Amino acid sequence: SQKIEQNSEALNIQEGKTATLTCNYTNYSPAYLQWYRQDPGRGPVFLLLIRENEKEKRKERLKVTFDTTLKQSLFHITASQPADSATYLCALGGSQGNLIFGKGTKLSVKP
Amino acid sequence: EPEVTQTPSHQVTQMGQEVILRCVPISNHLYFYWYRQILGQKVEFLVSFYNNEISEKSEIFDDQFSVERPDGSNFTLKIRSTKLEDSAMYFCASRGLAGSTDTQYFGPGTRLTVL
């Protein structure tokens, strides 16, 4: 069955550093992959979408890469700030457009 | 910026009771979804809805669940006879036509507590 793994449950970094989060998947070839941010008790907020024919996507301080050979996506936040502290979710597109989510990585950025 | 809204934000109910969770998707969107998230666990797909019918459902979405789009704006999830294990956050999501984007936009969620 399809499986998504986000390698760390939690990641602690210092303000100003680059946070790198990893998403690996198996038994699937998604047409696209998305990253969401989720704050406690709130709904997922869309950040970036990257398609299978794209290697990299950027938006402000965010960068996503997608390696369909390794079946891996990396999500980077440069110049991290305490306000970036949240849980970040990786999600693959299902056959009917539904999303299959990973468990998420909880990022804490310390001042 | 348009957004998905959900009501109520928190619903408390007794086991065995029926609940209806309501969502107003983004107005020009055509695909609608319900997801749930049990506390501390991952977001799980329940059902997708397009052209006034269910297009896909997960194993979680059994006969106790139903969805409806009663008018041009609302999208509801009904749980006929709630169980303790139905306690979770329920998220509605919507997206527009596939092509330029497959992004799903999520609502803030309804926290369902079954006692």
Side-chain angles (χ1 to χ4, degrees), chain B residues 2-4 10 16-18 26 28 30-32 38-41 48-49 51-52 67 82 84 86 89 100 102 107 115:
Chain B
E3 57 183 22
V4 176
H10 192 184
Q17 295 295 304
E18 174 184 286
I26 294 172
N28 61 345
L30 300 176
Y31 296 82
F32 312 113
I38 295 170
L39 186 65
Q41 298 189 23
S48 58
F49 193 86
N51 202 24
N52 283 319
V67 290
T82 49
L84 294 176
D86 293 328
M89 284 287 284
S100 60
D102 294 301
L115 303 176

Side-chain angles (χ1 to χ4, degrees), chain B residues 15 23-24 33 43-44 48 52 57 60 64 66 70 75 86 108:
Chain B
M15 192 168 57
C23 168
V24 178
Y33 304 85
V43 177
E44 299 175 289
S48 58
N52 283 319
K57 57 185 181 180
I60 303 167
Q64 292 299 312
S66 62
F75 179 51
D86 293 328

Side-chain angles (χ1 to χ4, degrees), chain A residues 3-8 22-26 90 101-104:
Chain A
K3 197 172 174 185
I4 301 172
E5 284 183 358
Q6 293 189 242
N7 65 329
S8 305
T22 305
C23 175
N24 295 291
Y25 59 93
T26 56
C90 168
F101 282 89
K103 286 194 75 173

